[in-house]
Amino acid sequence: MRAALMGWRRWLEPRYVWRRALHNLPAKLLALLVAVVLWAVATGDRRVNVEQGFDVAVTVRDTTGGRGEGTRAVSGLTPATVRVILSGRPERLGELTGTDVRAVVDVTGVPEGSFTLPVSVETPTGTALRVQRPERVQGFVDTRLSRTLPVTLSVATPPETSVPRYVVTPSEATLRGPGQVVATVRRLVSSPLALGPGDEREASLIALNEDGEAVPGVTTSPTTVTVRRLDTGDLPIKAVRVVLNDPPPGLRVTSVSVQPGTVRLVAAPDLLARLREVAGTVSYREGTYTTPVVLRVPAGAQALETVSARLTVERVTAVEGEEEAVVGADGGE
């Protein structure tokens, strides 16, 4: 016990402490240097800032007073995203995605019409903005409008042997968006479905312009409709070709196109088994024109399509008519 106390007392003497510090000093300094180097290498990537790029969607802020919420809308935002490069610690940037960065264009107080305004980037904590491209965006401030349109059903082409019947609920939907965008919408259609007999499914709504292209920047209420197939199965149906009546004397058909070339008939199975074609009657006149075809459907049958014909008819002179008659007579011999 006494020896231990004597050992501790020696550390209170400056001279003893100094001698111990100088003992093997080169080895101690080398060990310290190696430890510092290893620490610097191991933590270097955490102490050095790096840069990382993000594509950030531009959001619109509009707090224009006296307008009422939702009465204004922005359309045609160009570009819709900005490229943002942030700097920060690697571990911090590794946690981020483009949704963690905000790029805002403020249209508060901007009159209705086109605009070019700066974009303000709000960076997450622990990061700094290095580059933003572009710094300004263009767009159009417009009044928000709503329209109610009927829903057009869109389904996959059914087999020729079926006559499906559908019901859409609801049959109308309200379209909302910027006025100039809403004005371009011509139809609201349901997304295409393939339904079996008695099936029922939800279908999203798509706004289309006059060219049949989807119109972005609008919303619908409701966003989906219910499509139900009412029929329970196949019917006795047969597709037969359409045969037109001959032109009257003095007229000759030089070109004919019947659309569709075949028509589906619904009838009793024994009647369908005897049918190979259906007669169609058109009115002939000189010129090129499209005319409806009147189908002469047998009693007990019903056609499922309407048919039209694209005709090119020319008048035949008396000489040409006689030559054709002679050729026909020669051929008969």
Side-chain angles (χ1 to χ4, degrees):
M1 182 71 176
R2 185 174 181 181
L5 292 175
M6 291 295 293
W8 282 104
R9 286 178 181 175
R10 282 188 299 177
W11 285 98
L12 300 178
E13 299 176 4
R15 268 199 260 176
Y16 178 78
V17 173
W18 180 252
R19 286 199 307 271
R20 296 300 299 175
L22 296 180
H23 181 67
N24 291 333
L25 181 61
K28 293 177 179 178
L29 292 177
L30 179 61
L32 178 62
L33 178 61
V34 171
V36 171
V37 171
L38 291 177
W39 174 83
V41 171
T43 62
D45 59 340
R46 297 187 178 183
R47 292 179 290 103
V48 176
N49 284 349
V50 296
E51 295 182 351
Q52 185 169 331
F54 302 90
D55 291 318
V56 183
V58 179
T59 59
V60 178
R61 178 185 295 137
D62 188 3
T63 57
T64 304
R67 296 287 306 189
E69 185 179 358
T71 59
R72 295 183 5 139
V74 170
S75 62
L77 203 59
T78 306
T81 61
V82 294
R83 183 66 175 174
V84 172
I85 298 179
L86 303 180
S87 65
R89 296 289 181 86
E91 64 274 15
R92 176 56 176 149
L93 293 179
E95 301 171 348
L96 302 178
T97 64
T99 58
D100 298 313
V101 187
R102 291 197 66 201
V104 180
V105 57
D106 194 341
V107 299
T108 301
V110 175
E112 293 183 5
S114 59
F115 65 82
T116 300
L117 294 173
V119 177
S120 174
V121 176
E122 302 173 3
T123 60
T125 57
T127 65
L129 178 63
R130 299 290 295 175
V131 179
Q132 172 190 336
R133 294 190 301 265
E135 297 184 351
R136 304 171 75 86
V137 295
Q138 298 176 340
F140 193 91
V141 177
D142 201 358
T143 301
R144 183 177 292 275
L145 296 181
S146 62
R147 292 171 55 196
T148 299
L149 295 175
V151 176
T152 301
L153 175 65
S154 176
V155 293
T157 303
E160 287 190 347
T161 57
S162 66
V163 185
R165 293 181 295 120
Y166 302 93
V167 61
V168 180
T169 308
S171 59
E172 295 181 336
T174 301
L175 181 73
R176 295 186 176 90
Q180 67 170 2
V181 178
V182 170
T184 65
V185 177
R186 293 294 177 265
R187 292 188 301 158
L188 276 180
V189 302
S190 60
S191 56
L193 295 177
L195 297 180
D199 286 352
E200 179 179 307
R201 288 174 56 187
E202 293 288 317
S204 57
L205 293 178
I206 306 172
L208 301 180
N209 59 21
E210 61 183 4
D211 296 325
E213 300 171 340
V215 178
V218 294
T219 59
T220 61
S221 178
T223 57
T224 62
V225 293
T226 301
V227 181
R228 184 160 58 96
R229 181 169 169 177
L230 301 179
D231 61 289
T232 57
D234 295 340
L235 295 175
I237 295 176
K238 183 177 183 180
V240 298
R241 67 189 185 96
V242 178
V243 179
L244 299 182
N245 59 308
D246 293 330
L251 294 179
R252 179 173 53 196
V253 179
T254 60
S255 175
V256 58
S257 174
V258 179
Q259 295 295 332
T262 61
V263 64
R264 294 180 300 165
L265 299 180
V266 179
D270 56 342
L271 176 57
L272 290 180
R274 298 194 301 268
L275 294 177
R276 295 292 181 269
E277 59 187 33
V278 61
T281 302
V282 297
S283 298
Y284 290 101
R285 67 178 186 273
E286 189 176 359
T288 299
Y289 56 94
T290 300
T291 183
V293 178
V294 179
L295 298 176
R296 298 169 58 187
V297 180
Q302 182 178 352
L304 298 181
E305 290 90 14
T306 58
V307 182
S308 63
R310 179 72 174 175
L311 302 171
T312 299
V313 181
E314 63 182 22
R315 187 165 297 280
V316 180
T317 65
V319 174
E320 291 175 326
E322 292 176 358
E323 291 177 352
E324 290 180 357
V326 170
V327 172
D330 292 341
E333 294 178 353

